[in-house]
Amino acid sequence: MTPLGASVAELHKSPAGARRPLDALFRPASVALVGASTDKNNVGRQILDNLLEFGYPGPVYAVNPRAESVAGLPAYPSLRAIEAPLDLAVLIVPRHAVLPVVEECVEKRVRGLVVITAGFRELDAEGARMEAELRRRARQAGIPLLGPNCMGLFNTEAGVRLDLTFSPVHPQPGGIAFLSQSGALGAEILTLAETERLGFSLFASLGNEAVVSHLDALEYAADDANTRVIALYLETFSDPERFLRVVSEVTHAKPVVCLKGGRTESGARAAGSHTGALATSARALEAVLRQSGALLVDSTSEFVAVARGLADLPLPRGRRVCLLTNAGGPAVVATDWLVRKGLELPPLTRAAQESLRTVATRQAVLGNPVDLTVEGKPEMYEHAARVLLNEPADMLVALFVEPPRVSGADVLAGLERAAAGSPKPVLAAFPAQEALRRQATPQHLTLFDFPEVAAVVAGALADYAEVRQRPRGDYLSFRVNRQRVARLLERARRMQRTVLDAEESLAALRAYGIPVVRSAFVRSAEELLPRARHLRFPLALKAVAPQILHKTEVGGVILNIATLAALKKAYNEMTRRLPLRGVLLQEMAPVERELIFGFRRDAQGIPMLLAGLGGLFVEALDAVAVRVLPVTDRDVEEMLEEMPGSRVLSAFRGLAPVARPRLVEVLLRLAQLAADFPAISDIDVNPFLVSARPADCRAVDARILLRGSTLSTGE
Amino acid sequence: MTPLGASVAELHKSPAGARRPLDALFRPASVALVGASTDKNNVGRQILDNLLEFGYPGPVYAVNPRAESVAGLPAYPSLRAIEAPLDLAVLIVPRHAVLPVVEECVEKRVRGLVVITAGFRELDAEGARMEAELRRRARQAGIPLLGPNCMGLFNTEAGVRLDLTFSPVHPQPGGIAFLSQSGALGAEILTLAETERLGFSLFASLGNEAVVSHLDALEYAADDANTRVIALYLETFSDPERFLRVVSEVTHAKPVVCLKGGRTESGARAAGSHTGALATSARALEAVLRQSGALLVDSTSEFVAVARGLADLPLPRGRRVCLLTNAGGPAVVATDWLVRKGLELPPLTRAAQESLRTVATRQAVLGNPVDLTVEGKPEMYEHAARVLLNEPADMLVALFVEPPRVSGADVLAGLERAAAGSPKPVLAAFPAQEALRRQATPQHLTLFDFPEVAAVVAGALADYAEVRQRPRGDYLSFRVNRQRVARLLERARRMQRTVLDAEESLAALRAYGIPVVRSAFVRSAEELLPRARHLRFPLALKAVAPQILHKTEVGGVILNIATLAALKKAYNEMTRRLPLRGVLLQEMAPVERELIFGFRRDAQGIPMLLAGLGGLFVEALDAVAVRVLPVTDRDVEEMLEEMPGSRVLSAFRGLAPVARPRLVEVLLRLAQLAADFPAISDIDVNPFLVSARPADCRAVDARILLRGSTLSTGE
């Protein structure tokens, strides 16, 4: 048993002072391993060995009823047999034994639980039942429980040194807190960390998240003094509202890099089959991540590189990069990637060019990139780096392909000296120089292999700097006529309808303050002329019937009706032909620019707001911007900027910029409508006319679907 | 000097028998190094050392007027001093000496030249002049010249063993021919090859391509018996027509993997600054590559992985993949990447599931992916791989994240045995197991690090299999009224106009058999009624004047004119308001689906055909498919399939599929019009109405610009 060290008392409180619930997991005062095996190949034993080897200073208890001692520690037959108070219990027992041991833990007033054991929700119905019971008991007793079906956790903090994984390698301390919804991906990255020399503060394999969720762990990591960046491998989440709230808060303080597994339908199915969780639509998840300020990466290698860059480097003030190289082709590829990531390569100042000319050879190209060519020596690199770090740009990316006569180590040292004097991030890429990369321990820059990796990391740094700077939006609430919509929905429910027709849908929009072109609903021939009198010709006549989905396809729309006589004729013809609840008369609005606004719930019920260009065939392009509710005004502004084809909203083809604040308000009101009525599954506002004049921004047609509708897209 | 070996006689002929011109470069019977230095750090000496060390069997002559001997070889004062006939001369001399040495080479009837020396077109005007002279002399003498400004070449063939690079590492023989427009990128990949264990057949650093171009080298590699895949790093090309012809031919026989530097505008500028070449528009280049069947990759790491996979693995018959794993998360990420690359993961057959059940543990998930979980043993992997290779799918991707108790080497061996019995490609990904990857020499599968890399390579294999299978299209030529267009262009030229107005542009389309909605051109009020009589109301009235660019913006379009009276009124109003050459009367065609067809030349003059969805704001999305001329019918068919939003061309919203053969013909005729008249810089056909009935597919409006037009987009 490890003797009680001086630092153990420290484990009882977090650096901030007060003890937080998850401290029992990440900073326990004592640890008991239930299922500590005498077999060195057994997971229970491997965790014990890791715990002892990594230098945890608190008392460690091995529980094994069939052994006298394990790894030199006395073995206890049960938790009850341990007299001292216990902080954390780690369970590596068969699944049928988990609940009984948890009962012992509750008795013993254990304050934290890690359940490594698998075979719960992810395996079968019996496992799901046991997991529900596990959750119930842990919650009832107020014990944070990590897992089940997980590979443990670690905390590398000096004085804590807690390694409760069965990973074959011990972690190096560093600034990355790594939270993983996949144990195997966790293992992959922890192993990779050894060769890639990644440093970690915390790690948690989240398992089935029966009690402690990725958001709980995220909040804990956000408060952890040693954590500079949180790397999250995410496959699924259940509560988008809490996710948005927590992650938005965290990303204002620390970057969250997220590798999302299951972004394609097949990938999501694969994730579902191994976690037993319902698939979240890829679109909803990407929207939530973007909205929350998390940085989404595409691959494991990008995940590792971006996390490292954010842990090691200062943030840039903007998106301008100077690129320094001795190799043309690799610099071209890096430039392509910098530009793809939204970075700029501003031209050099004249002063910089002149200073560079004093050291560079005649072959050197003194633009941006600065290409020192194969003749670039370490002292030229150092000088050039100093010059470029004094440019107005925000970052320096330095590439070096080792030519026969120049030492990469010397170039790196020169770059280090230059970087030491600058507050700007310096990213170096030394491709195909693995030995050097493995030995080097640069303090003032981060070293990558391929130039394109450095470019991607530079993009992520700039992205996160913007996340930090972006204003927090407001959740606005408008005065609306909620009763009116409630009555419309109630009527539909009484009639067992799941579709509101155009008249009802537009009425609902109006009740929420969303402007609609001047319209009148006509129930009978008698009403036609009196209603038409209040409108300005030409008019459009539209069929109103809940069962008609695409009015145009059944001849349910007649446009450009210029006279009362023509209107009568059109009305008679349409009502004779189609079974209608009535017709809608609408003033013909001049079509200038049209958008589609919408709302959907995905299969998991996650509420999404959509905006895209209008027009008959634009839907074929499926080019919309998406946000998940709840949305701030800032979210909606960003959504309009990000909408494919958004440049039509600016001055475009002789048209003045649209009344953007009006559109923002309309989208917020639409979101409020959807949020107020969980019965609503879909809203289509199509088209919504937009213009420079706020008064000319109006909905022309709309359709609201209720849950249970077979029409719902439920994507 | 290396003694004349038995194999040297073989160098005089290529495997196919007849000697090809580039054999003098890649299979020389003797080599002279002009500029062979006594300084071991000098490039001229490094090439000599590489040549000698790598085991070239032919005679080697060192030319150095200031030395007695170099590296144990006698040094000759000049080429003239060598009595024996010379096949290849490699020049590593100051630039001012290059031309005089070339004169000596011509005298000596040297049959091949490699000019390593830099400082030509890429440096300054004097260099450009010398390069032009170099080209002239080499061409005149019929000597293939590689470079200048290059880092040499190699050929690893047994019996040739020619290494004329100054790379610090010798190449391993293998199936990859690597051609690079960047010496530095070449160096990067050759160095990387050592740790990544890539095997090469040929390498050529292309330099400034004064004589031997990348296409010459490509054709040579295509005929090389040891080359299984050609990896091309490309920054620029000058002759799209020849590129298309050569690369299309090559890709029917061997895969061409292309990393394109300068795909963004800044990247292209960076490429221009270091090669001195004009930038080709990224769009044109990507179109040419796609059309030619080359596989475009995005990054150096993808370049290397895809080249390796294509060199090592058989081709799949389709896009269906079985995924085998012991790790959930990494399999999810791999699935996402497989799907992104257009691959499918079909469900397993019942027989496969039953067979897997006999070996897998209860925790295993027997879908696709098959997840053996952390309990997956080598024998399970082998059995599962055999089962999955018997499934109807076309490929197997196997992932393995090393858990504590399973040996990666054993799993790999099991996969090897299973793969040996199958003609299907097997791709394995063993992330974070570098030591194993470095030692292993699998023969029947290819081993990658990250699962997503294996997925990308699987996609490339499927893509290339499709390239091989795709029918060669035909270059069709239609009977057209070329004279009519020639007269229209001649008239415009006489009037110093660079824009054809709508009437002229539509007339040109008609002359090329492209259908146009029924229209009549009206020059005066007197002509109005007689012309209108031949048309069916309602009509559209459009202003015709070369100086009007956007008719709608100046009120130059009046639609839906229902009567003769209304027509007269509209005509008078418009002609009073606008200075016109005349007006166009057009029948109003019912708009069902509309497209935009176009033609552009980029800044370098590369001719591009474009097709996209029509509609007022679709252009804001910039979503078009592009092909470079000349195009085959098959190119145009593919273009229509690839067009963003192309699903509107199929059955869509109650509309029948469009008359696709008609659209193909129209695009081919448009391409013929552009190709016949190099004076034409841009053609816009906007909109072109499409429908299920061929007769209803018609152009409504068009504009043709001539070269020199300030309106030309010249992208």
Side-chain angles (χ1 to χ4, degrees), chain A residues 690-715:
Chain A
V690 298
S691 163
R693 288 185 50 210
D696 287 342
C697 296
R698 285 168 299 173
V700 175
D701 211 338
R703 191 175 59 174
I704 294 177
L705 304 184
L706 306 181
R707 287 206 194 201
S709 166
T710 53
L711 305 172
S712 172
T713 53
E715 51 171 82

Side-chain angles (χ1 to χ4, degrees), chain A residues 337-423:
Chain A
W337 277 91
L338 288 168
V339 172
R340 266 181 213 145
K341 293 293 167 183
L343 301 170
E344 297 147 33
L345 288 93
L348 298 192
T349 61
R350 180 179 296 270
Q353 287 182 316
E354 279 165 13
S355 176
L356 290 171
R357 198 162 287 132
T358 61
V359 296
T361 62
R362 221 186 123 224
Q363 283 70 26
V365 182
L366 305 181
N368 190 8
V370 171
D371 185 354
L372 299 173
T373 77
V374 69
E375 302 297 330
K377 299 285 185 297
E379 58 278 13
M380 291 184 205
Y381 259 94
E382 182 173 349
H383 179 84
R386 284 183 201 279
V387 168
L388 296 178
L389 283 167
N390 274 323
E391 284 289 280
D394 309 297
M395 284 179 265
L396 173 63
V397 174
L399 314 185
F400 175 73
V401 176
E402 196 161 30
R405 276 166 301 171
V406 184
S407 144
D410 292 349
V411 169
L412 187 63
L415 289 172
E416 264 276 90
R417 284 188 295 272
S422 172

Side-chain angles (χ1 to χ4, degrees), chain A residues 41-43 46 95 119 123-124 166 168 182 184-185 187-188 191-192 195-196 233 235 259-271 273-274 298-301 326-333 335-337 339-340 345 362-363 365 368-369 371 374 401-402 404-405 431-432 434 438 450-452 550 552-553 560 592-594 613 616-623 644-648 652-655 686, chain B residues 41-43 46 95 119 123-124 166 168 182 184-185 187-188 191-192 195-196 233 235 259-271 273-274 298-301 326-333 335-337 339-340 345 362-363 365 368-369 371 374 401-402 404-405 431-432 434 438 450-452 550 552-553 560 592-594 613 616-623 644-648 652-655 686:
Chain A
N41 287 321
N42 186 294
V43 165
Q46 285 163 337
R95 77 168 178 174
L123 184 63
D124 56 16
F166 46 94
S182 157
L185 197 123
E188 175 185 338
T191 312
L192 196 69
T195 46
E196 291 292 313
Y233 173 72
E235 285 184 357
L259 174 61
K260 169 65 186 89
R263 286 171 74 183
T264 62
E265 208 190 308
S266 297
R269 236 189 346 259
S273 74
H274 88 95
D298 278 328
S299 66
T300 322
S301 52
N326 69 340
V332 171
V333 175
T335 302
D336 282 343
W337 277 91
V339 172
R340 266 181 213 145
L345 288 93
R362 221 186 123 224
Q363 283 70 26
V365 182
N368 190 8
D371 185 354
V374 69
V401 176
E402 196 161 30
R405 276 166 301 171
E434 220 176 284
R438 292 280 152 79
F450 291 111
E452 44 269 55
H550 295 294
T552 46
E553 290 180 17
N560 283 312
E592 186 201 273
R593 278 164 281 189
E594 48 183 47
L613 289 189
L616 186 53
F617 295 115
V618 170
E619 73 172 89
L621 295 170
D622 195 27
S646 65
R647 62 189 172 111
V648 305
F652 181 78
R653 287 281 208 94
L655 300 170
N686 180 12
Chain B
N41 287 322
N42 188 293
V43 165
Q46 285 163 337
R95 75 167 180 176
L123 184 64
D124 56 16
F166 46 95
S182 157
L185 198 122
E188 176 185 338
T191 311
L192 197 68
T195 47
E196 292 291 315
Y233 174 72
E235 285 183 358
L259 175 62
K260 170 66 186 85
R263 287 173 72 184
T264 62
E265 206 189 309
S266 297
R269 236 188 348 259
S273 74
H274 87 96
D298 278 328
S299 66
T300 321
S301 52
N326 70 340
V332 171
V333 175
T335 302
D336 282 343
W337 278 90
V339 172
R340 268 182 212 145
L345 290 93
R362 217 182 127 226
Q363 284 68 31
V365 182
N368 190 5
D371 184 353
V374 68
V401 176
E402 197 161 32
R405 277 167 299 171
E434 220 174 284
R438 293 280 150 80
F450 290 110
E452 44 268 55
H550 295 293
T552 47
E553 288 179 18
N560 282 313
E592 187 202 275
R593 279 165 281 189
E594 51 183 48
L613 288 190
L616 186 53
F617 296 114
V618 170
E619 73 171 89
L621 295 171
D622 195 26
S646 64
R647 62 188 172 113
V648 306
F652 182 77
R653 288 280 209 99
L655 300 170
N686 180 11

